[in-house]
Amino acid sequence: MPSRLRWMRFRPQEAALIAITAVWGGTFLLVHWAIEHSGPWFFVGIRFLIAGLISVVIFRRVLRGIRWRDVGAGVAIGVMIYLGYGLQTLGLQTIDSSTSAFITAMYVPLVPLAQWAVFRKRPPAMAFVGAGLAFVGLLFIAGPDAFALTLGAGEIATMISTLPIAAEIILISLFAGKIDLGRITVVQLLTAGVLGLLTMPVVGEGVPEFSWIWVGCAVGLGAASCLIQLTMNWAQKSVSPTRATIIYAGEPVWAGVIGRIAGERLPATALVGGALVVLGILASELRIVRRRAQPHTSPQAREENHAMGGESPVESPPDTEISARREVTP
């Protein structure tokens, strides 16, 4: 059966994910500034606590009817946010950003496999192609130094963080459409914030001295986190985890663009990597279309068959597109 590729258009939900990925990439520099004046768990806690309080103000009306399943879903996602962001921030204390980007990129090929395992539906073939291109692009962005890994505490923490990051994306899609958008956003952000602060005495981390730097970063990133999580919860109602992950892979590309604007000079390999990530996103927009061969029946044969009392053959249906559609997550 001959096949061809057809483009699919970006939907508003996907455009929103691209926009918040740009915001996401722009927060990287703020995190680095903040942890120079604060411990990682305090900053993660205060950041998401502020984000949660902002979401409480926004969704205060819908919180009156909150149900236990809203709480359960929000807590589950919040735990993954706490672990993912917390461990990644912890790792950034001892490893550079290129190594962190390389290790964190492992969640990109991990999510399609996790989606397959959770939803029992194989992602489209082009989704795997897009994820592969995005992963290779992230390796180029990380640079050659990222390959010289030594498994220290920072590398191990960042490596473990890829698991909850992938789990967060899967859980958001799993609960999307089943619970209230505002309620789950409030619960997951407050959960991540409270858990971050509760971790401080466990690891022996104290409250940092007051600094307008970590305060400003916490407020700015809190607002950004509220926007990011709210958009993810909304958009992933109709965007598959694999598709969303390929879009999220553009985070270091946006970080590089913002760094360039700020005066940083990007190496050639980073530019190639950024191009591959964009190519991965475009590749995942393709779908394979196969055309079924139609049996040919001549007009003369149809007339002879009808004259002999036979039924007219059923005409073949029009070309059937067997496409790698996105799944609408439950």
Side-chain angles (χ1 to χ4, degrees):
M1 292 183 293
S3 62
R4 58 191 177 87
L5 297 176
R6 176 175 294 180
W7 286 104
M8 299 176 70
R9 295 180 179 179
F10 282 103
R11 295 176 293 164
Q13 293 87 344
E14 294 165 331
L17 290 181
I18 292 175
I20 61 112
T21 301
V23 176
W24 203 348
T27 63
F28 195 79
L29 186 58
L30 294 179
V31 174
H32 269 287
W33 286 347
I35 60 176
E36 291 178 356
H37 302 271
S38 166
W41 294 111
F42 172 81
F43 184 73
V44 168
I46 200 68
R47 166 186 180 178
F48 284 103
L49 196 59
I50 292 174
L53 294 177
I54 293 174
S55 64
V56 167
V57 174
I58 297 174
F59 299 108
R60 60 187 180 279
R61 293 183 179 179
V62 300
L63 289 177
R64 298 173 183 173
I66 194 167
R67 300 162 296 181
W68 281 112
R69 63 179 179 178
D70 297 321
V71 175
V75 168
I77 297 174
V79 170
M80 296 303 109
I81 294 173
Y82 151 74
L83 291 173
Y85 280 85
L87 292 171
Q88 189 180 59
T89 305
L90 181 65
L92 281 170
Q93 288 189 308
T94 56
I95 62 176
D96 57 32
S97 58
S98 63
T99 302
S100 178
F102 165 68
I103 300 175
T104 306
M106 293 179 181
Y107 85 90
V108 175
L110 183 63
V111 169
L113 300 177
Q115 179 189 352
W116 197 348
V118 172
F119 297 112
R120 304 296 181 183
K121 293 180 180 179
R122 185 179 66 83
M126 294 308 297
F128 283 103
V129 174
L133 287 171
F135 180 67
V136 173
L138 291 173
L139 299 186
F140 275 93
I141 292 173
D145 292 339
F147 294 92
L149 287 179
T150 57
L151 290 181
E155 287 84 358
I156 294 174
T158 308
M159 189 176 297
I160 297 174
S161 75
T162 62
L163 298 177
I165 289 174
E168 176 198 352
I169 297 172
I170 295 296
L171 285 175
I172 289 176
S173 292
L174 183 64
F175 294 122
K178 295 181 179 180
I179 35 78
D180 183 83
L181 175 64
R183 295 169 188 163
I184 193 174
T185 301
V186 171
V187 174
Q188 70 189 41
L189 291 173
L190 289 179
T191 298
V194 171
L195 289 177
L197 296 179
L198 290 178
T199 305
M200 293 173 58
V202 176
V203 299
E205 181 180 317
V207 178
E209 294 182 2
F210 179 85
S211 169
W212 283 112
I213 294 180
W214 70 253
V215 171
C217 290
V219 173
L221 289 174
S225 297
C226 181
L227 174 64
I228 289 170
Q229 296 302 140
L230 177 61
T231 305
M232 290 174 67
N233 292 338
W234 168 72
Q236 284 192 228
K237 288 183 178 181
S238 58
V239 180
S240 74
T242 297
R243 175 75 180 130
T245 299
I246 296 172
I247 295 176
Y248 298 150
E251 177 193 357
V253 179
W254 289 108
V257 171
I258 294 172
R260 180 76 176 185
I261 295 174
E264 296 180 0
R265 184 175 180 81
L266 296 177
T269 53
L271 297 177
V272 173
L276 286 174
V277 171
V278 173
L279 185 60
I281 296 174
L282 295 177
S284 68
E285 274 291 299
L286 291 171
R287 61 178 179 178
I288 300 176
V289 180
R290 298 176 182 173
R291 294 186 176 277
R292 183 186 301 174
Q294 300 182 13
H296 177 72
T297 305
S298 65
Q300 182 179 358
R302 288 198 296 268
E303 291 177 2
E304 291 177 355
N305 183 52
H306 183 69
M308 295 176 63
E311 296 181 355
S312 299
V314 179
E315 295 185 2
S316 301
D319 293 348
T320 303
E321 295 184 355
I322 305 175
S323 61
R325 300 189 185 96
R326 304 183 190 86
E327 305 92 341
V328 177
T329 53

